[in-house]
Amino acid sequence: MKIGFDIDDTLINLREHAFHLYKGHLGQDVPLEVFQAIQSMGIHEAFGLTREEGRVLWGKLREDIYFSACPPFPHAVEVLQELDRQGHEIYYITARAREFGERTLEWMTANGFPVRPGRFFYGMDDTEKVHIIRDLGLDYYFDDKPAVLETLADSGVKVYAKDQPYNRGLPFPRIVCWSELRDLVVQGAE
């Protein structure tokens, strides 16, 4: 099977990682529960920042956000390694800016994600991302972002939402824990 994945907040816990970096940078002791209750993709509101102030801070901390100790979600690496060993084709499709693409690929590899040549796509906007997903002829695709998920609804790809507070209102099947993917792929192969 051909299986595609977004990276940020789908395979890795980027927003929560950034939340902790914001706390340290701003010197604010905001409880994790406040982050978990945010119903949008932006974390700035947990710190009383405007959208623009949040955008500026994200840009300032982007190196640390993207390339420090951001943890993969539980079981993500192990399950993808297992699927790769079984011969499934794994594709990564991220809208991260082109300037961060090669370093993101290196980071993914260093953190144990199975990345094969020609199966790592980056540096596109959401519209281009959707075209790549369709052109690859994926059997499954996993993402957290509502705009991408909604655009793929009638694509013929089995689309799943990586469960996040900001996408729970969408009518897509979802993955809460990556250990669930094993059963999903086995069922899809039958």
Side-chain angles (χ1 to χ4, degrees), residues 147-176:
V148 173
L149 294 165
E150 290 170 336
T151 304
L152 290 168
D154 298 321
S155 66
V157 177
K158 294 174 188 150
V159 179
Y160 282 74
K162 170 58 176 96
D163 188 58
Q164 295 289 353
Y166 51 83
N167 68 25
R168 289 190 180 136
L170 298 176
F172 289 94
R174 56 194 55 246
I175 290 286
V176 175

Side-chain angles (χ1 to χ4, degrees), residues 10-13 71-80 113 162 175-182:
T10 299
L11 293 174
I12 66 173
N13 200 357
F73 282 111
H75 309 288
V77 173
E78 299 81 6
V79 170
L80 268 62
F113 286 96
K162 170 58 176 96
I175 290 286
V176 175
C177 179
W178 284 110
S179 62
E180 300 167 29
L181 184 58
R182 288 182 186 108

Side-chain angles (χ1 to χ4, degrees), residues 31-173:
L32 185 59
E33 294 78 23
V34 171
F35 165 77
Q36 293 167 336
I38 297 173
Q39 295 295 307
S40 68
M41 292 181 71
I43 62 172
H44 59 277
E45 55 197 65
F47 298 94
L49 301 175
T50 66
R51 172 178 251 146
E52 178 60 19
E53 290 168 332
R55 187 189 66 73
V56 169
L57 184 55
W58 185 278
K60 183 176 182 177
L61 298 176
R62 187 179 343 238
E63 284 286 319
D64 286 337
I65 292 170
Y66 283 172
F67 303 114
S68 61
C70 181
F73 282 111
H75 309 288
V77 173
E78 299 81 6
V79 170
L80 268 62
Q81 287 174 346
E82 181 180 330
L83 293 174
D84 182 63
R85 281 190 302 273
Q86 292 172 357
H88 298 285
E89 295 179 25
I90 296 172
Y91 294 85
Y92 303 93
I93 303 123
T94 180
R96 275 195 190 184
R98 188 158 294 283
E99 66 191 274
F100 300 108
E102 290 302 317
R103 287 186 56 209
T104 300
L105 172 61
E106 292 168 8
W107 186 94
M108 295 288 288
T109 303
N111 282 276
F113 286 96
V115 183
R116 302 233 181 210
R119 296 185 186 169
F120 189 86
F121 300 87
Y122 60 89
M124 77 286 295
D125 64 23
D126 288 340
T127 304
E128 293 171 296
K129 186 176 187 179
V130 169
H131 289 297
I132 290 170
I133 292 164
R134 287 182 177 151
D135 291 347
L136 288 170
L138 299 176
D139 297 298
Y140 291 95
Y141 181 69
F142 299 86
D143 206 311
D144 66 297
K145 192 171 186 181
V148 173
L149 294 165
E150 290 170 336
T151 304
L152 290 168
D154 298 321
S155 66
V157 177
K158 294 174 188 150
V159 179
Y160 282 74
K162 170 58 176 96
D163 188 58
Q164 295 289 353
Y166 51 83
N167 68 25
R168 289 190 180 136
L170 298 176
F172 289 94

